[in-house]
Amino acid sequence: EPPSAVKQLATAEQYLQVAHAAGVADALLVQPANYGRDHAYLERVVEGSLIARGRDQGDYGAGTDIAWTTRLCAMYLATDLTPTGEAVPGVEAVMTEEALAEHACREMGLKSVVGLSEESGERRHAVYRGVRFNPALFPGQSLDNHVAERLWSTAGESGLVVGVMAFTGLKQHVPAIRKLLDASAATQARTKKTKLVIDHFGFFRQPATGGVIDEGGHEASELPSWGRSLVDGFDRRRTLEPAEAGWDEEHGRVSAALLRALVGRALSPRNDEECFAMLLDLVRDYPEQVYVKLSAFFRVSKEPFPHLDVLPRVLALLDATKSSRGGNSSSSKIRLMWGSDFPFVLAGGHEQNSFAVSYKDAVNIFGAWQRELQALSGASGVTLRSFGVTDDDIRDIMGGTARALFAG
């Protein structure tokens, strides 16, 4: 049962209306956990989008006034993965991890595993571009098991991206994730290495229900390592490359002071800095495989929209993707992508709160940040560009990266 705050906001028609109003051309829909293994509604919605684009056949949306201006694809939810001793439809007796993995592969429509007909397999490929791993649904609430290993490798071989949604925080799952990534490097061809998207900044802030404001002030004795690196790197650029960056001395000084203040503003006793550092390390260490979804800002911020306290973390992630790209053309785009966490973004979390924002405003967060920076810096005119964020970076985050990753 979805939370009451969003229960009346989340039909396909409502999403398509707000996406159209915001000018969203392409969107990835993830199976809601509320539906469990029943993906029928999700599939009908995506197929309706494909019909409108002349890609497939189906009847969703027939006779309605839905404006199919947003092209849709979907991410499957891997579920029914915990041994219970009870039979699951299509499996004689689900007692072992091997049987569970086989069942999940069958549900996902992976031809290489279950030998689906060409017609059925092509239909599933048109709808699904990825599969979500929620560790809470795996044996032992962990990704360190045969089920995860089997689904991970088969997803990569079938061209599906894996998304990890670790609601209670990424940190405890990083060793298992590294094990999966290393297995890809050892056993999969370069073009078939399983791609990973880490959802919602890795949930470094807890609880992750959204709209959680700090109680009382918080004075950090020192900046975390990622914050020091961000500030030090900016200072080096300001000193060594002022002309290239287009700065005069005053602009550089104000930008540096503002960046330090923003990094301090990003800190909170509810934020797990070790978790965030692990996320940055994954991005640096696996440049061909690891992507991060910059999504659900209301879950990882201590401030209402536009969540300016999250900006320094986006800057740190940008630095991590750029520093690990090297000259590898296969990693030419930054590996960050924006996501809304619709419909929860409309309420600001699981309950209506002051972090609520319209979908259109959420889509335009970079514009809101520009206005905030200019207001804070006054005549000095500090912008995102002052911190090294280019128009191309924003275009990639707001669509280019996801479009390339989930292209079908």
Side-chain angles (χ1 to χ4, degrees):
E1 185 75 7
S4 58
V6 297
K7 192 172 183 179
Q8 305 303 320
L9 303 173
T11 66
E13 291 83 355
Q14 288 169 315
Y15 173 71
L16 288 164
Q17 287 168 2
V18 297
H20 173 70
V24 173
D26 300 274
L28 174 76
L29 304 183
V30 183
Q31 165 75 348
N34 310 84
Y35 293 130
R37 64 188 296 270
D38 184 359
H39 288 64
Y41 183 46
L42 179 67
E43 291 178 4
R44 288 199 304 272
V45 171
V46 176
E47 286 174 346
S49 167
L50 298 178
I51 296 164
R53 299 283 178 154
R55 291 275 304 276
D56 206 343
Q57 297 296 319
D59 59 5
Y60 185 85
T64 74
D65 58 357
I66 295 175
W68 293 104
T69 56
T70 302
R71 181 172 56 186
L72 304 175
C73 61
M75 180 168 276
Y76 193 92
L77 175 66
T79 189
D80 285 344
L81 302 175
T82 303
T84 62
E86 299 175 0
V88 173
V91 181
E92 291 184 2
V94 177
M95 293 293 293
T96 67
E97 290 185 0
E98 177 67 32
L100 286 165
E102 187 69 28
H103 164 65
C105 289
R106 179 182 293 115
E107 286 293 300
M108 288 161 55
L110 301 179
K111 290 186 291 182
S112 62
V113 175
V114 298
L116 290 180
S117 69
E118 187 70 20
E119 179 180 356
S120 177
E122 288 301 323
R123 171 181 170 273
R124 280 294 179 93
H125 178 70
V127 171
Y128 293 115
R129 307 295 167 76
V131 54
R132 167 171 279 181
F133 284 17
N134 180 345
L137 302 178
F138 281 71
Q141 298 190 357
S142 167
L143 299 180
D144 189 10
N145 51 66
H146 180 72
V147 176
E149 292 167 3
R150 176 75 177 279
L151 294 186
W152 171 270
S153 62
T154 307
E157 292 162 4
S158 302
L160 293 177
V161 177
V162 170
V164 169
M165 198 280 290
F167 188 73
T168 58
L170 182 72
K171 181 168 66 177
Q172 62 185 309
H173 303 293
V174 168
I177 288 172
R178 283 185 172 273
K179 183 178 176 181
L180 293 171
L181 288 162
D182 290 340
S184 294
T187 62
Q188 293 179 310
R190 183 165 179 240
T191 56
K192 288 292 187 178
K193 286 182 180 178
T194 306
K195 303 293 192 299
L196 169 67
V197 175
I198 298 173
D199 287 348
H200 303 344
F201 293 86
F203 287 104
F204 64 84
R205 183 173 177 83
Q206 294 292 321
T209 50
V212 178
I213 299 174
D214 286 356
E215 297 178 1
H218 175 63
E219 291 291 334
S221 58
E222 62 179 30
L223 297 182
S225 59
W226 68 266
R228 292 195 305 273
S229 296
L230 190 64
V231 170
D232 291 347
F234 181 85
D235 284 341
R236 283 194 297 273
R237 287 178 58 224
R238 181 165 68 97
T239 302
L240 300 175
E241 305 168 5
E244 181 179 331
W247 295 325
D248 58 35
E249 184 176 346
E250 175 66 9
H251 182 89
R253 184 188 64 79
V254 173
S255 298
L258 182 53
L259 179 60
R260 289 189 188 93
L262 289 172
V263 172
R265 186 169 170 173
L267 307 182
S268 163
R270 294 185 181 275
N271 295 346
D272 186 338
E273 298 302 349
E274 184 181 2
C275 177
F276 188 70
M278 287 180 167
L279 175 65
L280 291 170
D281 285 342
L282 285 172
V283 171
R284 295 188 191 99
D285 293 347
Y286 300 93
E288 294 182 353
Q289 292 177 268
V290 175
Y291 296 70
V292 178
K293 193 185 294 181
L294 308 180
S295 49
F297 286 78
F298 59 91
R299 296 188 190 273
V300 297
S301 175
K302 62 181 181 182
E303 304 176 3
F305 186 84
H307 315 299
L308 193 62
D309 59 320
V310 183
L311 171 58
R313 297 183 190 272
V314 173
L315 298 178
L317 284 163
L318 266 172
D319 277 358
T321 63
K322 291 178 178 180
S323 65
S324 60
R325 282 190 304 185
N328 187 347
S329 60
S330 68
S331 300
S332 58
K333 289 187 178 294
I334 60 172
R335 288 167 287 123
L336 307 177
M337 62 188 77
W338 178 87
S340 66
D341 198 13
F342 177 92
F344 296 99
V345 64
L346 305 181
H350 293 193
E351 296 181 359
Q352 191 75 28
N353 61 65
S354 62
F355 286 34
V357 66
S358 73
Y359 184 86
K360 187 174 183 178
D361 283 344
V363 169
N364 289 298
I365 191 168
F366 282 95
W369 281 348
Q370 291 277 35
R371 292 188 291 274
E372 289 283 315
L373 292 175
Q374 290 170 345
L376 289 170
S377 62
S380 296
V382 175
T383 66
L384 290 170
R385 180 75 187 190
S386 304
F387 298 136
V389 183
T390 69
D391 290 343
D392 284 342
D393 292 336
I394 296 173
R395 279 191 288 269
D396 281 347
I397 291 171
M398 298 306 301
T401 299
R403 191 174 289 114
L405 183 62
F406 296 110

